[in-house]
Amino acid sequence: MTPAELASVVLAAAHAVFEQRGLDRAALPASTVVERPRNPEHGDYASTLALQLSKKVGVPPRELAAALADELGRASGVKSVEIAGPGFLNIRLDAAAAGQLARVIVEAGAEYGRSDRLAGEKINLEFVSANPTGPVHIGGVRWAAVGDALSRLLRATGADVGTEYYFNDAGSQIDRFARSLLAAAKGEPAPEDGYGGAYIAEIATEVQARRPEVRTLDDDAAQEVFRVEGVALMFDEIRSSLRDFGVEFDTYFNEKDLHDRGELDLALNRLRQQGHLYESEGATWLRTTDFGDDKDRVLRKSNGEWTYFAADCAYYLDKRERGFERVVIMLGADHHGYIGRMKAMAACFGDDPERNLEILIGQLVNLLRDGAPMRMSKRAGTVITLEDLVEAIGVDASRYALARYSSDSPIDIDIELWTRATRDNPVYYVQYVAARTAGVARNAAEVGLVPGDGDAFRPELLDHEKENELLKALAEFPAVVATAAELREPHRVARYLEESVAASYHRFYDNCRVLPLGDEEVTDLHRARLWLNNATRTVIANGLNLLGVSAPERM
C-alpha cells in the first residue's frame, strides 16, 4: 500500500464516521496526507486528520480520533491504529499491504515517483546564461546541474517546462571580447579591460583560419569580424561543453534578437500604457520605486542607447507573451541586487511578482585540491571552468556534488573525496546501491531465481524489520519528488537517496539474504526479497535520473 492509497483509506474512514454521527461532510477535505513518524516505534504512518477536523465539527479531537481509529481498524491492510497525544493516529500496516509496494514500484518502472502535482503550470526556466566571452565557470556549472535537475523534477510532477539559455551577444562586454581577440591576433597584450587566458589566443587563431581576409582589414573592420566569429565560436564551445555535461536547452535566446525585432520598443510602450514611465534629463525612466525598488531605473539613456535593464524588461515580456505563466530565473550570488528591480518590473507590467516571477540565487562554489581552493584554470587563466571540474572528478560526481546542496549555501568540492571509491563519497555510496541491486538480479537469474509474475508474489512474507524499513523508505519517493519540485530544491532528492534509500538497502542486504545459499531450494521468500531488491533498483535509478546522474549496473 502506497502512502497515497493509505491516505485515501483514512479519508474513506472519515467519511464513514461523519455519516454514522450525522456530521457535516462538507467539512471533510478533498484529500489528506499520511506521514512517517520520526520514531518508528510509533507505527508505519501517522495522520493528523482528527486534529484538523475537530474544531470544524465541534467534536473533541481524541473522541474523533477514537472513532476514526475504530473505522480504520476494519480496513483491509491496516494491522492496528493507536491514538497518541491530543489526537494523532499512529497506523501500522500488515505485512501484505506494506510489501505490496514492491510490486507497485517494479510494475510502474520509470513512472514511479511521477505525479500531476504541478499539472497545468507552464514554466519558463532560465539558467546558466553565461556571456559568450569565455568558458562556463564553476558558478555557472552549479546552475547547469541544479537547473537541469529542477527541470526534470518539474516535468516529473506534471509541469509544462521550457528551459532557456539567454546569451548576451550585445553590449560592452562583447566589445571588450572582440578587442581582446584582435589584440591576440596581432600578438599584443590583452586590453586593460579585456579578457585573458589561452582560450582567447585559440579563438583568435580559429577566426583567422576561417576568415583569412581579416588580416588585411583595418582595426575597426577586423574587430567586427572577430566579434561576430568569436562570439559564434565561443558559444558553440559553451553549448558543446554543456551538452557533454548532459545539459541541453529547449531554447537558446539571443539578446540581439530583442533589438532586431523591436521588442525593446514594444516593452517600453507596454510600460508607458501601464503608466509607469517618465522622462527626466532626456532619459526614459521606469518608476520601480512604486513597487519597492530602492530607486527608479533608466531604460533609455539621454543619448538614445538602451540600458541592460531595458533588455531585461523586453526579455521578461517576451517570455510572458509566449504563454509562460511563471518565469523562473537562476542567478549567481553577485546578482542578489537584481531581485528587487526585477520584481518591481514585473509589477509594472501588471503581473503579480510573487506568482509570475521567481528568482533563485546560487552561492559560490570552491574546488579544493589538497584542502586548498583552486583559483586558476589552465585554459581560462582566471576562473575554474566546467572542463576543469569534469576533468577532476567526472560528470556524474560533478552533477551530484553540485545538486546535493541547497543552492543558497556555498559549497566546497573536495577532489580527493569525490574521486574516492568508498562509502564516504556520496555519489559512490548511492551508485553502489544501483550496481549492487543490478548485481543481485543478475546473480539471481544465474541460480534460477526469478521474481515471477505479480500474481505469484507473496508480499506478506516481507515481515522482517529491515524489509519494512526499506519499504517505508521507498514509499517516500513520490512525496520527495513533489516537494523538491514545489520548493525548487533538487538537493532533497540526493539526500533522500543517500540517507533513506541507500542506508536502508544496505541494512536490508546485511540482514535479509536474497539469494539461496549453495544447494538451498528457491523459496517464495527469496522471490519476495528479489521483488524488493528490484524495487530499490527502480527508485535509485529514477532518483539519479532526476539529478542527471547515471545508475550503473556494474562498478
Side-chain angles (χ1 to χ4, degrees):
M1 185 183 298
T2 67
E5 290 170 340
L6 178 58
S8 296
V9 171
V10 172
L11 196 58
H15 275 274
V17 168
F18 272 47
E19 184 173 356
Q20 293 164 10
R21 292 184 164 225
L23 300 174
D24 182 7
R25 284 192 285 177
L28 288 167
S31 63
T32 189
V33 296
V34 292
E35 299 175 339
R36 283 184 64 180
R38 292 183 181 178
N39 185 345
E41 294 181 2
H42 293 166
D44 297 326
Y45 295 98
S47 171
T48 60
L49 188 61
L51 295 170
Q52 297 171 33
L53 297 174
S54 175
K55 285 187 178 180
K56 293 181 180 179
V57 297
V59 177
R62 281 191 66 90
E63 180 182 333
L64 187 56
L68 287 171
D70 185 58
E71 188 67 33
L72 267 175
R74 292 192 288 272
S76 175
V78 175
K79 181 179 180 181
S80 65
V81 185
E82 297 173 356
I83 304 166
F88 296 103
L89 293 172
N90 290 334
I91 305 166
R92 287 181 170 80
L93 303 180
D94 63 36
Q100 192 62 39
L101 178 67
R103 174 181 175 177
V104 170
I105 293 172
V106 171
E107 292 182 346
E111 292 299 305
Y112 183 67
R114 303 180 71 87
S115 71
D116 59 358
R117 183 79 68 91
L118 299 181
E121 288 205 29
K122 188 170 184 182
I123 300 172
N124 181 280
L125 179 62
E126 180 201 341
F127 56 100
V128 183
S129 295
N131 290 332
T133 55
V136 179
H137 61 77
I138 198 167
V141 183
R142 183 175 197 176
W143 276 139
V146 174
D148 187 63
L150 180 55
S151 72
R152 294 165 184 250
L153 282 164
L154 293 170
R155 286 171 175 146
T157 46
D160 180 0
V161 181
T163 58
E164 197 143 318
Y165 186 117
Y166 176 76
F167 86 95
N168 186 331
D169 55 349
S172 60
Q173 83 282 357
I174 299 297
D175 293 336
R176 295 198 303 272
F177 178 62
R179 291 200 307 272
S180 301
L181 294 174
L182 178 60
K186 295 167 70 175
E188 299 174 354
E192 187 175 338
D193 62 347
Y195 296 92
Y199 77 95
I200 291 292
E202 293 170 8
I203 292 174
T205 300
E206 180 64 22
V207 171
Q208 292 176 88
R210 288 188 174 194
R211 300 282 299 274
E213 76 277 10
V214 73
R215 299 185 182 92
T216 67
L217 302 176
D218 62 50
D219 282 358
D220 287 344
Q223 183 175 313
E224 179 60 18
V225 171
F226 279 111
R227 186 191 72 79
V228 173
E229 297 290 343
V231 165
L233 284 168
M234 191 72 255
F235 193 64
D236 283 347
E237 180 178 324
I238 290 171
R239 288 184 65 167
S240 177
S241 62
L242 287 170
R243 187 181 306 115
D244 291 342
F245 197 58
V247 178
E248 288 272 15
F249 291 86
D250 299 319
T251 302
Y252 293 89
F253 195 103
N254 293 19
E255 181 191 350
K256 190 171 181 292
D257 290 344
L258 294 171
H259 295 265
D260 294 345
R261 296 197 298 246
E263 291 195 44
L264 281 85
D265 285 309
L266 177 65
L268 200 74
N269 291 336
R270 183 71 59 86
L271 292 167
R272 182 173 283 112
Q273 291 168 8
Q274 294 287 338
H276 299 299
L277 291 188
Y278 66 95
E279 308 293 325
S280 178
E281 301 176 353
T284 303
W285 297 70
L286 181 63
R287 193 176 285 106
T288 53
T289 51
D290 284 352
F291 298 99
D293 196 6
D294 58 346
K295 62 181 179 180
D296 291 340
R297 304 290 170 175
V298 177
L299 297 184
R300 200 164 204 167
K301 301 176 185 177
S302 57
N303 63 5
E305 292 182 0
W306 295 102
T307 64
Y308 286 122
F309 188 59
D312 290 337
C313 294
Y315 186 37
Y316 174 79
L317 181 61
D318 180 275
K319 291 175 178 178
R320 295 286 284 120
E321 293 290 293
R322 281 185 273 146
F324 291 104
E325 178 186 5
R326 192 182 293 271
V327 173
V328 181
I329 307 173
M330 296 179 159
L331 298 174
D334 56 340
H335 287 75
H336 198 278
Y338 272 50
I339 296 177
R341 76 187 73 169
M342 293 293 286
K343 291 282 189 178
M345 173 267 291
C348 287
F349 276 119
D351 283 349
D352 178 353
E354 299 308 311
R355 168 66 185 164
N356 301 114
L357 176 63
E358 288 182 44
I359 298 179
L360 308 178
I361 298 293
Q363 294 301 320
L364 300 176
V365 181
N366 289 312
L367 185 60
L368 305 182
R369 187 187 295 277
D370 299 324
M374 293 176 59
R375 298 295 184 192
M376 303 287 282
S377 167
K378 296 175 185 175
R379 184 162 175 264
T382 54
V383 294
I384 301 300
T385 67
L386 188 159
E387 286 77 10
D388 295 324
L389 180 62
V390 170
E391 181 182 349
I393 65 174
V395 171
D396 275 351
S398 297
R399 291 192 59 133
Y400 194 94
L402 291 165
R404 181 178 183 261
Y405 301 91
S406 174
S407 57
D408 59 6
S409 300
I411 57 175
D412 293 328
I413 297 178
D414 188 319
I415 292 174
E416 182 183 5
L417 169 67
W418 288 94
T419 53
R420 196 179 295 157
T422 59
R423 290 174 63 155
D424 57 347
N425 175 351
V427 70
Y428 180 87
Y429 183 61
V430 174
Q431 287 186 316
Y432 185 73
V433 173
R436 172 169 269 184
T437 52
V440 167
R442 285 194 305 273
N443 294 336
E446 290 175 2
V447 299
L449 169 58
V450 294
D453 61 30
D455 292 336
F457 174 44
R458 298 280 305 280
E460 70 274 11
L461 298 178
L462 298 175
D463 59 0
H464 191 282
E465 174 189 358
K466 300 307 178 184
E467 293 165 344
N468 186 255
E469 177 187 333
L470 179 55
L471 284 163
K472 287 191 285 187
L474 301 180
E476 291 178 353
F477 185 54
V480 170
V481 173
T483 301
E486 289 176 334
L487 298 181
R488 319 304 193 225
E489 294 181 343
H491 71 275
R492 290 175 176 268
V493 175
R495 295 308 178 104
Y496 159 77
L497 293 177
E498 290 171 45
E499 298 166 8
S500 194
V501 180
S504 296
Y505 180 80
H506 284 304
R507 288 190 288 269
F508 158 75
Y509 185 87
D510 291 341
N511 289 274
C512 304
R513 185 166 184 83
V514 179
L515 303 177
L517 278 172
D519 295 331
E520 183 183 358
E521 183 180 348
V522 172
T523 67
D524 286 339
L525 177 58
H526 292 124
R527 295 187 188 92
R529 286 176 172 170
L530 183 57
W531 276 88
L532 183 51
N533 174 84
N534 295 351
T536 305
R537 166 76 191 180
T538 297
V539 171
I540 287 284
N542 291 358
L544 286 173
N545 181 64
L546 289 172
L547 301 175
V549 177
S550 69
E553 295 194 356
R554 289 179 170 86
M555 288 183 72

